[in-house]
Amino acid sequence: MTAPIRLALVGMGKIAHDQHLPAIAAGQSFDLVATVSRSGESVGGLPFFRDVYELAASGLEVDAVSLCTPPQVRRAIAQYCIGQGWHVFLEKPPGATLAEVIALRDAAAAKGVSLFASWHSRYADGVEPARAWLAEREVKRAKITWREDVRVWHPGQDWIWEPGGFGVFDPGINALSIATRILPRPFFVETAELDVPSNRAAPIAARVSFRDTAGAEIAMDLDFRQEGPQHWDIEVETDDGTLLLSKGGSVLTIDGKEALAHDADLHGEYPGLYHRFGAIVRAGVSDVDVSPLRAVADVFLRGRHISVEPFVE
C-alpha cells in the first residue's frame, strides 16, 4: 500500500479533537475520509456516521479506523471493524480488560489486518534516550509521581469513574507505559492501596509498590485531586547517577542537568503514533503490547480498596 491509507475516526471526544485530528492532518500516511460519532459530527465537510455499522453499510472505501471511544465499549466496535478487514488503531487503554485485547489481537491475526495498541506517552521525546541510558546502568530504585487535576483533564467524562474506566489509572497507565519501556527488568506488584470515592466505582488516587526481578523497588504515587502544578515524573536512581523524566516524558534530566527538553506538552507523541500505525499497516504486522494494561490489572488484583469522601465535579 503506497497511496495514503483511508482512515475513519471513531469517537469524536476531547482526545480526538485535541490530538488525533491535528496529527492526521500533519502527516502524509493517512487520508481522513469520515468521522463516526453518536452525535453525528462532521469534520471539514467529510461524511459522518452514527456508528461503524452505518459506515460499513455506506459503501465508503475505508482501509483503517482509529477508535477513540471509552474503553468499555471498544471491544465490540473493534471486533466488527476487524471483521470488515479494516486495520485498527486502539486509543489507550486498548480495552477494558486484558482478555478483550488478547481476543482482538488474535482476531486481527486471523483476519490478516494490523492492530495497534497505542501508548502515546512512549512517543514523548525523552523516552527512548532514557531507555538507552538506563540499559547501560544498574537500577537501584525508582519513583513514579503522576498527579493531575481530573477536573481540568477529564471534564464531564463520567465514563472514567465507571467499572472499566480506570479512574486515576487512565493517566496512570501512561506512566506505566513509559516505565515498562525504559526500565531494563520486568517488575511486579507487591502492595497497593486504592482510594475510591464512596460515590464512584474507580479510584481517585493510588499508592503502589512494585519490585523488579533484581529486587529494586519502584514506588508509584497517583492522584486525580492535584491542584496547582501538575506532576508527571519518573525518577530512577542508578549506580551511575539519577535520571528524571518529567512533563510526561518530554523533559529528560540526568544528575540535575537537562539533557532534552521541549516546550510543548505531548510534543510529537500523536504524530509518532500515526507514523508507527502507518508503518505496521504497510508492513502487514501488528503492535499489541499489553504490559502496561497487565500492570494495572495486577494492581487491581492485589490492591486494598479504601473508601474516601465522595467526588463531585
Side-chain angles (χ1 to χ4, degrees):
M1 183 182 294
T2 56
I5 300 163
R6 294 166 295 192
L7 179 77
L9 190 55
V10 182
M12 297 304 297
K14 187 175 188 298
I15 196 68
H17 284 279
D18 290 354
Q19 301 297 340
H20 287 259
L21 288 175
I24 294 165
Q28 298 180 346
S29 295
F30 293 90
D31 181 14
L32 184 65
V33 297
T35 59
V36 178
S37 171
R38 287 182 300 177
S39 61
E41 181 175 357
S42 176
V43 172
L46 292 173
F48 63 88
F49 304 91
R50 304 284 178 178
D51 53 44
V52 291
Y53 314 108
E54 190 176 289
L55 170 62
S58 73
L60 184 69
E61 293 291 337
V62 173
D63 302 310
V65 293
S66 288
L67 304 187
C68 304
T69 65
Q72 296 98 322
V73 300
R74 198 176 296 148
R75 186 211 59 79
I77 299 170
Q79 186 79 39
Y80 180 81
C81 293
I82 289 169
Q84 298 300 303
W86 299 336
H87 308 287
V88 177
F89 176 122
L90 301 170
E91 223 334 319
K92 69 86 195 170
T97 70
L98 276 168
E100 289 183 354
V101 181
I102 297 303
L104 291 174
R105 182 194 65 188
D106 294 346
K111 188 68 176 179
V113 299
S114 297
L115 181 69
F116 183 34
S118 70
W119 301 108
H120 69 80
S121 290
R122 285 184 174 178
Y123 291 79
D125 294 284
V127 172
E128 287 306 307
R131 181 173 184 261
W133 191 84
L134 290 171
E136 299 177 352
R137 289 161 177 85
E138 181 69 20
V139 172
K140 292 184 175 182
R141 62 186 57 85
K143 183 177 181 181
I144 300 167
T145 305
W146 230 252
R147 288 172 158 255
E148 65 181 56
D149 189 341
V150 67
R151 293 180 173 91
V152 172
W153 298 98
H154 299 278
Q157 297 180 13
D158 287 339
W159 62 267
I160 208 168
W161 299 110
E162 297 298 324
F166 290 73
V168 74
F169 282 93
D170 179 77
I173 205 170
N174 294 336
L176 288 167
S177 74
I178 296 175
T180 53
R181 179 65 181 166
I182 68 173
L183 295 176
R185 296 185 293 259
F187 55 89
F188 310 96
V189 180
E190 287 199 326
T191 63
E193 293 181 335
L194 309 178
D195 294 344
V196 182
S198 58
N199 62 335
R200 304 288 182 170
I204 198 167
R207 296 157 301 282
V208 184
S209 178
F210 299 95
R211 196 173 297 275
D212 76 10
T213 52
E217 183 179 357
I218 299 116
M220 186 175 200
D221 174 24
L222 308 177
D223 206 316
F224 250 166
R225 300 165 297 194
Q226 180 71 20
E227 297 181 359
Q230 310 285 280
H231 300 280
W232 302 289
D233 306 322
I234 299 177
E235 185 177 53
V236 186
E237 182 183 338
T238 78
D239 62 343
D240 185 31
T242 299
L243 175 148
L244 175 65
L245 269 177
S246 56
K247 295 187 178 180
S250 64
V251 177
L252 173 61
T253 304
I254 297 173
D255 289 335
K257 183 178 180 181
E258 196 167 294
L260 179 70
H262 286 281
D263 293 333
D265 291 336
L266 299 180
H267 179 90
E269 290 185 11
Y270 276 81
L273 287 177
Y274 275 96
H275 177 79
R276 176 61 177 161
F277 187 37
I280 67 171
V281 168
R282 296 186 193 284
V285 298
S286 289
D287 182 351
V288 185
D289 179 12
V290 298
S291 55
L293 181 58
R294 183 170 58 230
V296 172
D298 287 351
V299 168
F300 277 84
L301 279 170
R302 298 209 63 177
R304 176 171 170 258
H305 290 230
I306 302 169
S307 181
V308 297
E309 63 277 4
F311 172 79
V312 180
E313 188 168 0

